[in-house]
PDB file of all heavy atoms in Angstrom:
ATOM      1  N   ASP A  42      79.149  50.379  89.575  1.00  0.00           N
ATOM      2  CA  ASP A  42      80.342  49.749  89.033  1.00  0.00           C
ATOM      3  C   ASP A  42      81.395  49.543  90.127  1.00  0.00           C
ATOM      4  O   ASP A  42      81.925  48.428  90.310  1.00  0.00           O
ATOM      5  CB  ASP A  42      80.894  50.638  87.959  1.00  0.00           C
ATOM      6  CG  ASP A  42      81.733  49.853  86.964  1.00  0.00           C
ATOM      7  OD1 ASP A  42      81.285  48.747  86.635  1.00  0.00           O
ATOM      8  OD2 ASP A  42      82.753  50.350  86.577  1.00  0.00           O
ATOM      9  N   GLU A  46      82.642  45.941  92.034  1.00  0.00           N
ATOM     10  CA  GLU A  46      84.026  45.466  92.001  1.00  0.00           C
ATOM     11  C   GLU A  46      84.598  45.329  93.438  1.00  0.00           C
ATOM     12  O   GLU A  46      85.293  44.352  93.719  1.00  0.00           O
ATOM     13  CB  GLU A  46      84.907  46.507  91.214  1.00  0.00           C
ATOM     14  CG  GLU A  46      86.243  45.961  90.851  1.00  0.00           C
ATOM     15  CD  GLU A  46      86.945  46.816  89.812  1.00  0.00           C
ATOM     16  OE1 GLU A  46      86.792  48.048  89.815  1.00  0.00           O
ATOM     17  OE2 GLU A  46      87.689  46.244  89.024  1.00  0.00           O
ATOM     18  N   ASP A  50      85.869  41.870  95.437  1.00  0.00           N
ATOM     19  CA  ASP A  50      87.173  41.743  95.986  1.00  0.00           C
ATOM     20  C   ASP A  50      87.067  41.308  97.477  1.00  0.00           C
ATOM     21  O   ASP A  50      87.720  40.379  97.912  1.00  0.00           O
ATOM     22  CB  ASP A  50      87.958  43.128  95.958  1.00  0.00           C
ATOM     23  CG  ASP A  50      89.392  42.934  96.367  1.00  0.00           C
ATOM     24  OD1 ASP A  50      89.602  42.815  97.582  1.00  0.00           O
ATOM     25  OD2 ASP A  50      90.294  42.936  95.492  1.00  0.00           O
ATOM     26  N   GLN A  54      88.252  37.811  99.300  1.00  0.00           N
ATOM     27  CA  GLN A  54      89.039  37.757 100.522  1.00  0.00           C
ATOM     28  C   GLN A  54      88.470  36.853 101.558  1.00  0.00           C
ATOM     29  O   GLN A  54      89.124  36.035 102.226  1.00  0.00           O
ATOM     30  CB  GLN A  54      89.283  39.165 101.119  1.00  0.00           C
ATOM     31  CG  GLN A  54      90.187  40.041 100.352  1.00  0.00           C
ATOM     32  CD  GLN A  54      90.487  41.352 101.106  1.00  0.00           C
ATOM     33  OE1 GLN A  54      90.849  41.314 102.293  1.00  0.00           O
ATOM     34  NE2 GLN A  54      90.244  42.493 100.412  1.00  0.00           N
ATOM     35  N   GLU A  56      86.214  34.529 101.140  1.00  0.00           N
ATOM     36  CA  GLU A  56      86.188  33.137 100.589  1.00  0.00           C
ATOM     37  C   GLU A  56      87.546  32.476 100.812  1.00  0.00           C
ATOM     38  O   GLU A  56      87.648  31.315 101.296  1.00  0.00           O
ATOM     39  CB  GLU A  56      85.923  33.184  99.110  1.00  0.00           C
ATOM     40  CG  GLU A  56      85.055  32.038  98.618  1.00  0.00           C
ATOM     41  CD  GLU A  56      84.666  32.284  97.155  1.00  0.00           C
ATOM     42  OE1 GLU A  56      85.566  32.260  96.304  1.00  0.00           O
ATOM     43  OE2 GLU A  56      83.507  32.606  96.934  1.00  0.00           O
ATOM     44  N   GLU A  57      88.641  33.176 100.560  1.00  0.00           N
ATOM     45  CA  GLU A  57      89.932  32.626 100.696  1.00  0.00           C
ATOM     46  C   GLU A  57      90.254  32.329 102.152  1.00  0.00           C
ATOM     47  O   GLU A  57      90.805  31.252 102.539  1.00  0.00           O
ATOM     48  CB  GLU A  57      90.997  33.630 100.215  1.00  0.00           C
ATOM     49  CG  GLU A  57      92.377  32.976 100.079  1.00  0.00           C
ATOM     50  CD  GLU A  57      93.355  34.000  99.552  1.00  0.00           C
ATOM     51  OE1 GLU A  57      93.916  34.747 100.421  1.00  0.00           O
ATOM     52  OE2 GLU A  57      93.649  34.062  98.331  1.00  0.00           O
ATOM     53  N   ARG A  87      89.288  57.741  97.596  1.00  0.00           N
ATOM     54  CA  ARG A  87      90.326  57.428  96.598  1.00  0.00           C
ATOM     55  C   ARG A  87      89.860  57.332  95.140  1.00  0.00           C
ATOM     56  O   ARG A  87      90.614  57.347  94.196  1.00  0.00           O
ATOM     57  CB  ARG A  87      90.970  56.079  97.032  1.00  0.00           C
ATOM     58  CG  ARG A  87      91.772  56.219  98.301  1.00  0.00           C
ATOM     59  CD  ARG A  87      92.389  54.926  98.735  1.00  0.00           C
ATOM     60  NE  ARG A  87      93.082  55.086 100.009  1.00  0.00           N
ATOM     61  CZ  ARG A  87      93.104  54.172 100.930  1.00  0.00           C
ATOM     62  NH1 ARG A  87      92.508  53.065 100.787  1.00  0.00           N
ATOM     63  NH2 ARG A  87      93.759  54.367 102.064  1.00  0.00           N
TER      64      ARG A  87
ATOM     65  N   LYS B  46      96.913  39.646  94.140  1.00  0.00           N
ATOM     66  CA  LYS B  46      97.678  38.553  94.658  1.00  0.00           C
ATOM     67  C   LYS B  46      99.004  38.326  93.876  1.00  0.00           C
ATOM     68  O   LYS B  46     100.065  38.141  94.438  1.00  0.00           O
ATOM     69  CB  LYS B  46      96.823  37.267  94.616  1.00  0.00           C
ATOM     70  CG  LYS B  46      95.689  37.335  95.586  1.00  0.00           C
ATOM     71  CD  LYS B  46      95.134  35.928  95.874  1.00  0.00           C
ATOM     72  CE  LYS B  46      96.065  35.275  96.863  1.00  0.00           C
ATOM     73  NZ  LYS B  46      95.537  33.991  97.301  1.00  0.00           N
ATOM     74  N   GLU B  57      93.586  47.268  98.173  1.00  0.00           N
ATOM     75  CA  GLU B  57      92.509  47.438  97.208  1.00  0.00           C
ATOM     76  C   GLU B  57      92.090  48.890  97.002  1.00  0.00           C
ATOM     77  O   GLU B  57      91.706  49.311  95.934  1.00  0.00           O
ATOM     78  CB  GLU B  57      91.264  46.531  97.521  1.00  0.00           C
ATOM     79  CG  GLU B  57      90.677  46.613  98.984  1.00  0.00           C
ATOM     80  CD  GLU B  57      91.600  45.972 100.001  1.00  0.00           C
ATOM     81  OE1 GLU B  57      92.548  46.659 100.464  1.00  0.00           O
ATOM     82  OE2 GLU B  57      91.408  44.830 100.292  1.00  0.00           O
ATOM     83  N   GLY B  58      92.251  49.707  98.112  1.00  0.00           N
ATOM     84  CA  GLY B  58      91.916  51.117  97.988  1.00  0.00           C
ATOM     85  C   GLY B  58      92.848  51.875  97.092  1.00  0.00           C
ATOM     86  O   GLY B  58      92.469  52.950  96.640  1.00  0.00           O
ATOM     87  N   TYR B  61      92.206  49.617  92.847  1.00  0.00           N
ATOM     88  CA  TYR B  61      91.059  49.825  91.997  1.00  0.00           C
ATOM     89  C   TYR B  61      90.936  51.219  91.436  1.00  0.00           C
ATOM     90  O   TYR B  61      90.640  51.472  90.240  1.00  0.00           O
ATOM     91  CB  TYR B  61      89.735  49.427  92.766  1.00  0.00           C
ATOM     92  CG  TYR B  61      89.710  47.913  92.926  1.00  0.00           C
ATOM     93  CD1 TYR B  61      89.793  47.345  94.225  1.00  0.00           C
ATOM     94  CD2 TYR B  61      89.708  47.040  91.847  1.00  0.00           C
ATOM     95  CE1 TYR B  61      89.795  45.944  94.399  1.00  0.00           C
ATOM     96  CE2 TYR B  61      89.732  45.689  91.977  1.00  0.00           C
ATOM     97  CZ  TYR B  61      89.800  45.139  93.261  1.00  0.00           C
ATOM     98  OH  TYR B  61      89.810  43.769  93.428  1.00  0.00           O
ATOM     99  N   ARG B  83      80.283  34.146  90.005  1.00  0.00           N
ATOM    100  CA  ARG B  83      80.324  35.538  90.480  1.00  0.00           C
ATOM    101  C   ARG B  83      80.747  36.448  89.353  1.00  0.00           C
ATOM    102  O   ARG B  83      81.583  36.042  88.486  1.00  0.00           O
ATOM    103  CB  ARG B  83      81.316  35.678  91.636  1.00  0.00           C
ATOM    104  CG  ARG B  83      80.679  35.341  92.960  1.00  0.00           C
ATOM    105  CD  ARG B  83      81.146  36.284  94.055  1.00  0.00           C
ATOM    106  NE  ARG B  83      82.585  36.383  94.185  1.00  0.00           N
ATOM    107  CZ  ARG B  83      83.293  35.652  95.013  1.00  0.00           C
ATOM    108  NH1 ARG B  83      82.735  34.760  95.803  1.00  0.00           N
ATOM    109  NH2 ARG B  83      84.599  35.838  95.069  1.00  0.00           N
ATOM    110  N   ARG B  86      85.274  41.690  87.145  1.00  0.00           N
ATOM    111  CA  ARG B  86      85.724  42.630  86.093  1.00  0.00           C
ATOM    112  C   ARG B  86      87.148  42.231  85.693  1.00  0.00           C
ATOM    113  O   ARG B  86      88.049  42.329  86.554  1.00  0.00           O
ATOM    114  CB  ARG B  86      85.646  44.014  86.627  1.00  0.00           C
ATOM    115  CG  ARG B  86      85.863  45.081  85.548  1.00  0.00           C
ATOM    116  CD  ARG B  86      85.760  46.398  86.106  1.00  0.00           C
ATOM    117  NE  ARG B  86      85.592  47.372  85.086  1.00  0.00           N
ATOM    118  CZ  ARG B  86      85.254  48.665  85.325  1.00  0.00           C
ATOM    119  NH1 ARG B  86      84.970  49.080  86.534  1.00  0.00           N
ATOM    120  NH2 ARG B  86      85.143  49.484  84.300  1.00  0.00           N
ATOM    121  N   TYR B  88      90.586  42.761  83.514  1.00  0.00           N
ATOM    122  CA  TYR B  88      91.299  43.868  82.860  1.00  0.00           C
ATOM    123  C   TYR B  88      92.402  43.273  82.042  1.00  0.00           C
ATOM    124  O   TYR B  88      93.024  42.238  82.339  1.00  0.00           O
ATOM    125  CB  TYR B  88      92.004  44.756  83.946  1.00  0.00           C
ATOM    126  CG  TYR B  88      91.071  45.575  84.814  1.00  0.00           C
ATOM    127  CD1 TYR B  88      90.580  45.002  86.004  1.00  0.00           C
ATOM    128  CD2 TYR B  88      90.691  46.857  84.467  1.00  0.00           C
ATOM    129  CE1 TYR B  88      89.732  45.709  86.824  1.00  0.00           C
ATOM    130  CE2 TYR B  88      89.856  47.552  85.313  1.00  0.00           C
ATOM    131  CZ  TYR B  88      89.427  47.028  86.473  1.00  0.00           C
ATOM    132  OH  TYR B  88      88.582  47.693  87.253  1.00  0.00           O
TER     133      TYR B  88
END
Side-chain angles (χ1 to χ4, degrees):
Chain A
D42 204 40
E46 193 168 34
D50 189 285
Q54 284 188 54
E56 215 172 70
E57 192 181 84
R87 290 179 184 143
Chain B
K46 292 198 78 175
E57 49 288 88
Y61 292 115
R83 275 221 306 268
R86 189 177 195 169
Y88 293 89

